[in-house]
Amino acid sequence: MKRASSSTPVELSAPPPSKRSSSSHDKTVPVKLYNGVYWSKISELPHRFNQNALTLNELISLIRPVASIHFNFCVDAGFLISQYPPHLRACPITIVVGAQHKEELQQGVRKHFRNITVVGAPLPIPYGTHHTKLSIFESETALHVVVSTANLLSEDWEYKTQGFYHCQGSLDDVKESPFINQLCGYLEDGYSKTPGWDQIEYWRDRLKSADFSHIKDHIVYSVPGRFVGPDAAKYGHRMLRTRIQGFPEDLKDRVKKVIAQCSSIGSLGAEKSWFAGDFTKSLLGGRTQFDDSILDVIYPTVGNIRTSFEGYQAGSHFPYNNKNHQRQEFLMKRFHKWCSHNLGRSRAMPHIKTYTGLDADGKPLWFLLTSANLSKAAWGEQFQNGMFQIRSYELGVLTCALTPETDIRLPYDLPLLKYGPNEKPWLVDLNYTEPDSIGTQWRVR
């Protein structure tokens, strides 16, 4: 059985798009694109479950870009080009990937796509990844920012539950925007020393030339490095802590439960050293007094993967391994299965990553849509000498329920469903012989 590998995150194919993709392109494109969170459209689902959802082709067709830049982890350039309307497929496109994958992607691009420029982002610390999923589009009248959880691969956009945040700024005026200042801060902190910075600098300057002053959401990001002094509080979960600290005091104090929903889990160490310690403290805006059971985790069970639309093949995108799990079985009491009946997506596996603070009644008070999984590499960790280390690039958008009528939609059902007594988390390096939804087994050795 063919398996996708998380260690080879660059794929190439040339147009035309697959038959499956083409059918989704024929569907009616919504008339209006608003600012906020969307889900990816799942072709297996009836129309009622694809409300507030778009394909990548629909999104790009609505924007009608004359130029664009994509920051991502896994890229299939052929798939990406096929998502542009035919008359826009020759527009200038820049793709930013991890430096170690630049040459592989560039070789294929040279053959097929003369309009694409590839930039390689440096990864100075071992085991780091360029995991950010950001696209910036320029249309004739506006700039569009899209922060996503999806790789630029057909299987990510067609079969899995993904999320993306969209906002746009008019090119008719320039106004001060904290949101854009934060996003430009990410570009400068992450890429200003990158070969090819001029390609990214262009987009930084374009962002500053548009009016995003109406956007009240916040950017949360990680950039690789070892930080000391004041810089040790500027990135990763420490940045999230600072953002939450800026929320109204009564809102912060009302958070009684935090939910981390992810598609991968790293090596977390002892329970209270990071997971139920510094990391949870940041999710609570720096609160020092809290019950360490306040943080729950949504991660697919073996049954979730087996009965999914893709069967076990979906599991290749959920690379939590047995070695790490054996070291941190404390997660078992926090694990909850993937359940999204209200959105019809219980069988569309969640490659989306979200972190949510809830009040005592289960109402979301803040919501973070991000590329960052549950790992120190993504969020950062502090060492005894005060140094704060981050391995990877990550990016997310944080929304706060500033008014009672603010509607924060979640991709999963509440209340959560805990793992049953015989249910286990999906571990990518174990064998599973019970036939899945398409009649296959998962064998790794």
Side-chain angles (χ1 to χ4, degrees):
M1 183 174 76
K2 180 182 177 183
R3 290 184 53 199
S5 170
S6 59
S7 63
T8 55
V10 176
E11 299 187 10
L12 281 166
S13 65
S18 66
K19 181 179 179 181
R20 188 181 180 82
S21 296
S22 299
S23 65
S24 67
H25 296 179
D26 295 335
K27 296 178 181 179
T28 302
V29 177
V31 184
K32 186 178 179 182
L33 187 64
Y34 63 87
N35 299 324
V37 175
Y38 294 77
W39 317 128
S40 55
K41 185 173 286 187
I42 307 296
S43 57
E44 279 83 355
L45 299 181
H47 177 71
R48 70 181 186 278
F49 289 131
N50 276 318
Q51 300 297 313
N52 201 49
L54 293 171
T55 66
L56 182 57
N57 173 261
E58 288 173 337
L59 172 64
I60 295 176
S61 297
L62 285 166
I63 293 172
R64 299 188 297 276
V66 296
S68 47
I69 186 170
H70 302 277
F71 301 75
N72 217 291
F73 176 53
C74 296
V75 177
D76 180 334
F79 165 75
L80 175 61
I81 287 291
S82 75
Q83 302 307 294
Y84 283 72
H87 67 288
L88 295 174
R89 289 179 184 174
C91 70
I93 297 173
T94 300
I95 300 175
V96 183
V97 293
Q100 72 271 43
H101 305 298
K102 174 188 173 183
E103 190 59 34
E104 182 182 354
L105 180 57
Q106 202 164 39
Q107 286 177 3
V109 162
R110 287 194 191 106
K111 291 181 181 179
H112 301 292
F113 313 113
R114 300 286 182 86
N115 58 315
I116 295 180
T117 301
V118 181
V119 175
L123 291 163
I125 303 176
Y127 307 111
T129 60
H130 184 264
H131 206 240
T132 289
K133 295 159 179 70
L134 164 70
S135 297
I136 308 171
F137 302 92
E138 181 172 356
S139 66
E140 291 185 358
T141 59
L143 281 178
H144 298 256
V145 173
V146 176
V147 178
S148 175
T149 64
N151 294 297
L152 294 173
L153 305 173
S154 62
E155 59 264 35
D156 266 31
W157 281 92
E158 293 175 9
Y159 305 114
K160 296 179 180 64
T161 297
Q162 305 279 8
F164 66 90
Y165 172 92
H166 165 269
C167 66
Q168 68 183 65
S170 170
L171 290 170
D172 295 334
D173 198 4
V174 181
K175 293 182 181 178
E176 185 71 13
S177 167
F179 177 85
I180 289 301
N181 289 341
Q182 293 165 7
L183 182 56
C184 289
Y186 167 72
L187 297 179
E188 292 163 358
D189 291 345
Y191 307 99
S192 61
K193 298 180 181 179
T194 297
W197 161 244
D198 59 317
Q199 297 287 327
I200 300 168
E201 185 181 31
Y202 167 84
W203 288 97
R204 181 205 62 181
D205 294 343
R206 293 303 285 151
L207 288 168
K208 290 183 176 181
S209 68
D211 179 12
F212 284 86
S213 59
H214 54 292
I215 303 300
K216 306 305 179 186
D217 304 309
H218 296 274
I219 294 289
V220 176
Y221 62 85
S222 296
V223 292
R226 297 184 174 99
F227 309 102
V228 296
D231 288 346
K234 288 176 63 176
Y235 309 110
H237 71 77
R238 294 293 180 82
M239 174 178 279
L240 177 59
R241 181 183 303 186
T242 300
R243 301 279 191 253
I244 294 174
Q245 285 173 341
F247 292 165
E249 202 66 38
D250 62 329
L251 184 145
K252 291 185 298 185
D253 293 341
R254 285 162 50 207
V255 173
K256 303 301 180 185
K257 175 64 69 177
V258 180
I259 300 171
Q261 175 270 309
C262 59
S263 62
S264 184
I265 303 173
S267 179
L268 305 180
E271 181 174 13
K272 296 187 178 181
S273 65
W274 184 85
F275 176 85
D278 206 29
F279 182 63
T280 297
K281 183 179 177 181
S282 289
L283 293 174
L284 296 172
R287 191 192 307 174
T288 55
Q289 300 296 320
F290 56 86
D291 183 338
D292 65 13
S293 66
I294 197 170
L295 178 56
D296 286 337
V297 178
I298 299 175
Y299 183 79
T301 64
V302 175
N304 280 147
I305 298 290
R306 186 182 68 251
T307 60
S308 71
F309 290 130
E310 299 171 86
Y312 289 130
Q313 182 61 31
S316 62
H317 289 253
F318 295 80
Y320 187 33
N321 64 57
N322 187 49
K323 182 179 179 180
N324 281 344
H325 182 60
Q326 294 301 319
R327 294 172 174 170
Q328 50 204 35
E329 289 203 346
F330 62 82
L331 288 174
M332 288 300 295
K333 64 179 180 287
R334 303 175 185 269
F335 273 148
H336 294 75
K337 65 181 71 177
W338 172 248
C339 184
S340 184
H341 294 321
N342 290 336
L343 295 177
R345 293 164 186 265
S346 292
R347 296 184 62 202
M349 290 298 93
H351 195 258
I352 190 172
K353 296 94 170 147
T354 62
Y355 299 79
T356 310
L358 307 174
D359 67 13
D361 297 323
K363 176 180 172 58
L365 299 177
W366 59 261
F367 175 76
L368 176 67
L369 177 74
T370 178
S371 63
N373 278 304
L374 188 57
S375 74
K376 296 177 181 178
W379 284 107
E381 64 174 320
Q382 182 162 332
F383 294 90
Q384 290 184 348
N385 63 2
M387 180 186 72
F388 190 73
Q389 175 179 280
I390 299 176
R391 298 179 187 271
S392 298
Y393 295 84
E394 307 284 358
L395 188 71
V397 176
L398 177 65
T399 300
C400 173
L402 292 173
T403 60
E405 58 271 14
T406 303
D407 181 22
I408 295 179
R409 291 179 288 268
L410 301 180
Y412 48 80
D413 297 341
L414 292 176
L416 302 182
L417 289 178
K418 290 184 72 69
Y419 280 24
N422 298 318
E423 291 183 307
K424 302 292 184 184
W426 168 261
L427 301 174
V428 71
D429 54 348
L430 296 185
N431 292 324
Y432 301 101
T433 57
E434 183 178 349
D436 64 11
S437 61
I438 56 177
T440 64
Q441 298 177 335
W442 182 264
R443 294 186 181 275
V444 295
R445 57 182 181 273

